[in-house]
Amino acid sequence: MRLEFLQRMFWAATQQCGAVGEPCPRSCQDSDLDCFVIDNNGFILISERSQEIGRFLGEVDGALMTQLLSTGVFSQVTMYDYQAMCKPPNQHHSAARPLASPISALLTAIRWLANELLLFLLEWSTWGSQHADTGAEAKAVFHHSHKHKKQDTLQPCDTEYPVFVHQRAIQEANGILECGACQKIFVIQQIPNSNLLLLVTDPTCDCSIFPLVLQEATEVKLNPAHNASVKCDRMRSQKLRRRPDSCHAFHPEENAQDCGGTSDTSASLPLLLLLLGTWALLTQLLR
């Protein structure tokens, strides 16, 4: 189901009351109501503002997320990432380091020229003139990633980050937030037969005095003597992932002709091998 179709169904359903589809005296289209549809992890699926879709509720309204946590509607769980990449401590970048000697500067310039030559040949001889835009885009991506590769040196690390989970025992809740000079009323209710929740609140009250609830990852620094044992304990505490019971490899709304498209790409294998060999040789000589 496409998101646009789900949004249309949602806005139409909020305008009807009762089994016979009678119009509601109040709906999410009213200016004094703010409606969200969030999933069981607090991410916004439907909002009146498109820039909020896909974001975590705590990043949009920290006051609401704080209240949902304090009332037990959501609970916080700490998760660990054992394959994260972090910046090493005391890392300093110096733009003058490559200029320490004229030879280093000359080798850097020759390497840059070799990069430009290789990208130019790959763009015009491999993909052809009809893919010039794709080649230019790939060139820009290469330069962007190459630049960041030089600037940011990362190392493997362990990180922890908060995850928020809806407590299914609480299917409906409401409350009032004291935000200084005003009060903010909210109602949250689980949508039947789904993991979604409908959240309705008052947009006129400014609750920016509450801090945002973020899902930022922080590095976990462990004692080397207990590193292995702590990792084992944490991995045992993680939730087990299981494969779905059935495979969904086809959808009626999917057009198979939109997939692929690489058959139009024609490349010269000898020329590509020659270019790669030249690049490898230049890289070894310039080191």
Side-chain angles (χ1 to χ4, degrees):
M1 180 183 296
R2 296 182 178 178
L3 180 60
E4 295 81 3
F5 180 68
L6 178 62
Q7 289 177 334
R8 291 196 300 268
M9 290 182 58
F10 170 73
W11 297 125
T14 56
Q15 295 179 352
Q16 299 178 357
C17 292
V20 296
E22 299 177 355
C24 294
R26 303 289 299 276
S27 71
C28 289
Q29 303 292 340
D30 297 339
S31 59
D32 58 343
L33 291 180
D34 206 355
C35 299
F36 301 94
V37 173
I38 61 177
D39 65 1
N40 59 329
N41 294 119
F43 287 90
I44 300 175
L45 273 70
I46 297 178
S47 172
E48 298 177 5
R49 294 165 291 275
S50 59
Q51 66 272 17
E52 296 176 349
I53 297 177
R55 297 177 59 188
F56 179 60
L57 179 63
E59 300 177 359
V60 176
D61 196 326
L64 275 176
M65 197 65 208
T66 301
Q67 186 68 12
L68 294 177
L69 287 170
S70 62
T71 55
V73 179
F74 278 83
S75 62
Q76 179 176 335
V77 180
T78 302
M79 302 292 289
Y80 298 92
D81 185 0
Y82 302 109
Q83 298 179 341
M85 301 295 291
C86 303
K87 291 184 179 180
N90 301 326
Q91 181 180 2
H92 300 284
H93 300 284
S94 176
R97 185 176 180 182
L99 302 177
S101 65
I103 297 178
S104 177
L106 179 61
L107 293 178
T108 302
I110 296 177
R111 185 176 300 175
W112 178 81
L113 289 174
N115 286 336
E116 293 294 323
L117 178 61
L118 177 64
L119 288 173
F120 177 79
L121 294 176
L122 287 175
E123 178 182 349
W124 292 103
S125 63
T126 306
W127 280 274
S129 59
Q130 68 273 20
H131 296 284
D133 294 338
T134 305
E137 182 179 356
K139 181 178 179 181
V141 172
F142 174 83
H143 282 293
H144 182 74
S145 61
H146 188 63
K147 179 180 179 181
H148 283 273
K149 183 178 180 181
K150 286 186 176 181
Q151 293 180 352
D152 299 332
T153 302
L154 304 178
Q155 64 181 11
C157 64
D158 297 337
T159 59
E160 64 178 12
Y161 57 95
V163 174
F164 302 91
V165 182
H166 170 238
Q167 300 301 310
R168 297 186 63 87
I170 304 179
Q171 299 185 358
E172 184 176 358
N174 58 76
I176 300 177
L177 288 171
E178 298 291 341
C179 301
C182 62
Q183 293 181 335
K184 189 171 189 175
I185 304 175
F186 75 92
V187 177
I188 186 169
Q189 185 175 10
Q190 183 176 1
I191 299 177
N193 303 321
S194 72
N195 67 330
L196 306 179
L197 299 113
L198 173 62
L199 176 62
V200 182
T201 183
D202 179 14
T204 59
C205 182
D206 183 15
C207 290
S208 57
I209 58 175
F210 285 83
L212 298 179
V213 181
L214 304 178
Q215 292 185 304
E216 295 180 343
T218 57
E219 184 178 359
V220 180
K221 296 183 179 180
L222 303 176
N223 187 350
H226 303 86
N227 194 5
S229 61
V230 172
K231 278 189 176 181
C232 290
D233 294 339
R234 286 179 177 173
M235 293 183 69
R236 293 192 188 100
S237 65
Q238 297 289 333
K239 292 184 177 180
L240 298 177
R241 299 178 181 269
R242 63 181 181 88
R243 296 175 61 88
D245 298 331
S246 59
C247 179
H248 303 276
F250 173 77
H251 193 275
E253 296 185 3
E254 180 182 4
N255 185 4
Q257 297 180 355
D258 295 337
C259 302
T262 59
S263 58
D264 297 334
T265 303
S266 58
S268 175
L269 183 59
L271 180 59
L272 182 61
L273 293 177
L274 178 61
L275 292 173
L276 293 178
T278 305
W279 166 248
L281 181 61
L282 287 175
T283 303
Q284 294 296 328
L285 294 176
L286 296 177
R287 286 184 178 178

